[in-house]
């Protein structure tokens, strides 16, 4: 399979994305398609399905577990309801502000993967990779440089108990709501802030209805890439190895691309709205948020499933070993 002339497709796999066409997940999917079709000499063909074409994020999870799609992105924000242990990636300040360390942990942290994989397998998912999409940046109507600035602020979060607790710890009033409702909620002043990577702020034009973009380096937005476990285990060993090698190549590429992609989207926001104010918190300002965030680890240990302590310890061990 790995050498010789191109052949007819032996495998045709449906690949479901959690984001729209032109998104960062789409860019990853295009890169992965290029790599795996090259490595397989055309024996593997991928078909993309963008967010909404097959349903919402929870429906995509169900399709993946049932084998109706072969592979899909599965973000901790919603996957945590199926696999509570994956909520570890919603803990603020768990990952450091160090791209090289994070690449080693997310791409191949042996403790993290060995500990998490059985929980994915229990839901018929095979964990292929943990993929970065950029730092989560606060978009607000007023400046936030200390936890006191969050006091009482109605702040939109995903429907994740971990994220609710994270912003409670800062003093905010976390308000879960669907992604599709954020713009109008900001416009109608139902909320005063929300959080996304730069690319999402630009794509959804959230900057039009807020005044500040604040980078506190509190949380790297990651998604996990999964294959249907039964389908993956049904592949021969050579094909399994080729799939994993293709994923690793695409994920390594993603670490460089993500930084450039978000920087370009940030520049697009500056051009579209010159009055937008950008704040990068200082190490001293970040320390105040990090101190507040420590209390949320206890919440994760309470709601993160039977493996929460082991998973948290595994991620911390990988971070420490890869500093």
């Amino acid at each position: 399979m790995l050498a010789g002339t191109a052949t007819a497709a032996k495998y045709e796999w449906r690949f479901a994305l959690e984001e729209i066409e032109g998104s960062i997940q789409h860019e990853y999917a295009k890169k992965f398609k290029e790599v795996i079709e090259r490595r397989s000499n055309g024996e593997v063909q991928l078909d993309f399905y963008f967010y909404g074409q097959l349903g919402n994020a929870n429906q995509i999870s169900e399709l993946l577990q049932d084998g109706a799609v072969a592979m899909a992105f599965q973000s901790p924000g919603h996957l945590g309801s199926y696999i509570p242990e994956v909520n570890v990636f919603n803990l603020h300040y768990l990952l450091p502000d160090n791209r090289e360390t994070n690449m080693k942990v997310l791409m191949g942290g042996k403790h993290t993967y060995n500990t998490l994989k059985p929980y994915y397998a229990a839901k018929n998912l095979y964990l292929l990779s943990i993929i970065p999409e950029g730092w989560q940046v606060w978009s607000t109507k007023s400046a936030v440089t200390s936890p006191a600035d969050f006091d009482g602020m109605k702040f939109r979060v995903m429907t994740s108990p971990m994220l609710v607790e994270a912003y409670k710890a800062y003093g905010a009033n976390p308000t879960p709501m669907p992604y599709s409702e954020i713009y109008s909620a900001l416009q109608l002043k139902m909320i005063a802030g929300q959080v996304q990577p730069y690319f999402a702020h630009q794509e959804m034009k959230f900057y039009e209805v807020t005044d500040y973009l604040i980078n506190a380096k509190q949380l790297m937005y990651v998604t996990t890439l999964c294959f249907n476990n039964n389908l993956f285990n049904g592949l021969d060993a050579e094909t399994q190895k080729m799939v994993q090698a293709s994923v690793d190549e695409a994920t390594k590429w993603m670490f460089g691309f993500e930084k450039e992609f978000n920087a370009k989207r940030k520049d697009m926001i500056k051009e579209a709205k010159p009055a937008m104010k950008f704040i990068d918190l200082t190490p001293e300002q970040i320390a105040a948020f990090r101190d507040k965030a420590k209390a949320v680890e206890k919440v994760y240990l309470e709601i993160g499933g039977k493996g929460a302590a082991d998973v948290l310890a595994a991620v911390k061990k990988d971070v420490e070993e890869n500093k």
Side-chain angles (χ1 to χ4, degrees), residues 174-278:
T175 308
M177 69 172 55
Y179 189 61
S180 59
E181 296 177 12
I182 295 174
Y183 188 99
S184 60
L186 287 166
Q187 190 175 40
L188 297 172
K189 300 182 180 180
M190 295 167 60
I191 55 174
Q194 54 93 37
V195 60
Q196 309 287 339
Y198 278 121
F199 75 84
H201 290 302
Q202 189 277 327
E203 282 176 357
M204 302 302 289
K205 301 187 184 301
F206 295 138
Y207 62 87
E208 292 182 345
V209 284
T210 53
D211 299 303
Y212 293 85
L213 281 166
I214 301 146
N215 193 359
K217 299 289 180 73
Q218 81 287 354
L219 189 67
M220 173 72 74
Y221 183 69
V222 302
T223 187
T224 63
L225 180 60
C226 301
F227 214 94
N228 175 275
N229 196 55
N230 289 340
L231 290 176
F232 189 83
N233 288 329
L235 300 173
D236 62 81
E238 184 183 16
T239 303
Q240 289 180 352
K241 185 177 179 181
M242 182 268 297
V243 170
Q244 188 65 65
S246 301
V247 167
D248 291 345
E249 182 177 338
T251 302
K252 186 175 182 180
W253 168 86
M254 184 66 156
F255 269 89
F257 178 80
E258 169 271 308
K259 184 178 181 181
E260 296 173 5
F261 188 82
N262 279 299
K264 287 178 182 177
R265 295 304 181 94
K266 181 180 179 182
D267 288 343
M268 290 168 72
I269 294 172
K270 289 179 178 179
E271 184 177 352
K273 187 176 180 179
M276 196 75 189
K277 300 176 182 66
F278 295 83

Side-chain angles (χ1 to χ4, degrees), residues 58-321:
N58 287 330
Q59 289 167 325
I60 289 171
S61 290
E62 292 168 3
L63 291 170
L64 179 60
Q65 291 175 63
D66 292 341
V69 297
M71 57 191 305
F73 291 110
Q74 296 283 277
S75 297
H78 77 86
L79 189 61
S81 61
Y82 294 91
I83 306 171
E85 286 80 6
V86 81
N87 279 302
V88 71
F89 294 114
N90 289 324
L91 278 173
H92 287 196
Y93 297 106
L94 177 62
L95 294 175
D97 181 15
N98 185 297
R99 187 166 291 272
E100 185 176 347
T101 295
N102 290 337
M103 183 169 69
K104 290 176 180 177
V105 173
L106 297 180
M107 270 193 65
K110 61 181 181 180
H111 305 294
T112 300
Y113 278 77
N114 288 342
T115 309
L116 268 178
K117 275 189 171 183
Y119 298 105
Y120 276 74
K123 297 298 182 182
N124 200 26
L125 303 177
Y126 185 88
L127 175 61
L128 286 166
S129 191
I130 305 166
I131 299 168
E133 296 195 33
W135 289 107
Q136 294 264 36
V137 178
W138 297 327
S139 171
T140 59
K141 293 178 181 292
S142 58
V144 174
T145 59
S146 72
D149 295 326
F150 263 129
D151 190 28
M153 181 188 294
K154 293 194 74 174
F155 192 87
R156 183 267 176 182
V157 296
M158 288 190 288
T159 54
S160 161
M162 289 299 305
L163 295 175
V164 169
E165 292 300 325
Y167 287 95
K168 278 186 181 178
Y170 297 150
N173 178 9
T175 308
M177 69 172 55
Y179 189 61
S180 59
E181 296 177 12
I182 295 174
Y183 188 99
S184 60
L186 287 166
Q187 190 175 40
L188 297 172
K189 300 182 180 180
M190 295 167 60
I191 55 174
Q194 54 93 37
V195 60
Q196 309 287 339
Y198 278 121
F199 75 84
H201 290 302
Q202 189 277 327
E203 282 176 357
M204 302 302 289
K205 301 187 184 301
F206 295 138
Y207 62 87
E208 292 182 345
V209 284
T210 53
D211 299 303
Y212 293 85
L213 281 166
I214 301 146
N215 193 359
K217 299 289 180 73
Q218 81 287 354
L219 189 67
M220 173 72 74
Y221 183 69
V222 302
T223 187
T224 63
L225 180 60
C226 301
F227 214 94
N228 175 275
N229 196 55
N230 289 340
L231 290 176
F232 189 83
N233 288 329
L235 300 173
D236 62 81
E238 184 183 16
T239 303
Q240 289 180 352
K241 185 177 179 181
M242 182 268 297
V243 170
Q244 188 65 65
S246 301
V247 167
D248 291 345
E249 182 177 338
T251 302
K252 186 175 182 180
W253 168 86
M254 184 66 156
F255 269 89
F257 178 80
E258 169 271 308
K259 184 178 181 181
E260 296 173 5
F261 188 82
N262 279 299
K264 287 178 182 177
R265 295 304 181 94
K266 181 180 179 182
D267 288 343
M268 290 168 72
I269 294 172
K270 289 179 178 179
E271 184 177 352
K273 187 176 180 179
M276 196 75 189
K277 300 176 182 66
F278 295 83
I279 300 175
D280 291 306
L281 296 191
T282 66
E284 293 75 19
Q285 290 169 331
I286 286 173
F289 287 101
R290 182 181 286 111
D291 286 344
K292 295 286 187 182
K294 288 177 182 176
V296 186
E297 279 193 10
K298 182 180 177 182
V299 178
Y300 171 68
L301 294 174
E302 291 172 352
I303 70 171
K306 64 180 182 180
D310 290 339
V311 170
L312 180 57
V315 177
K316 286 185 173 181
K317 191 171 184 179
D318 277 330
V319 169
E320 186 62 31
E321 290 182 0

Side-chain angles (χ1 to χ4, degrees), residues 4-75:
T5 58
T7 60
K10 182 178 179 181
Y11 301 104
E12 294 185 11
W13 293 331
R14 302 171 86 194
F15 184 179
L17 283 61
E18 296 174 311
E19 296 171 3
I20 62 174
E21 187 173 2
S23 65
I24 196 166
Q25 285 190 5
H26 185 203
E27 295 298 330
Y28 179 95
K30 288 192 294 184
K31 181 66 175 180
F32 177 68
K33 178 182 174 72
E34 169 203 320
V35 172
I36 199 167
E37 292 183 358
R38 166 172 50 81
R39 283 179 176 266
S40 70
N41 294 306
E43 287 193 355
V44 172
Q45 295 290 323
L46 290 181
D47 295 318
F48 302 150
Y49 292 86
F50 299 107
Y51 183 81
Q53 289 183 310
L54 297 176
N56 60 31
N58 287 330
Q59 289 167 325
I60 289 171
S61 290
E62 292 168 3
L63 291 170
L64 179 60
Q65 291 175 63
D66 292 341
V69 297
M71 57 191 305
F73 291 110
Q74 296 283 277
S75 297

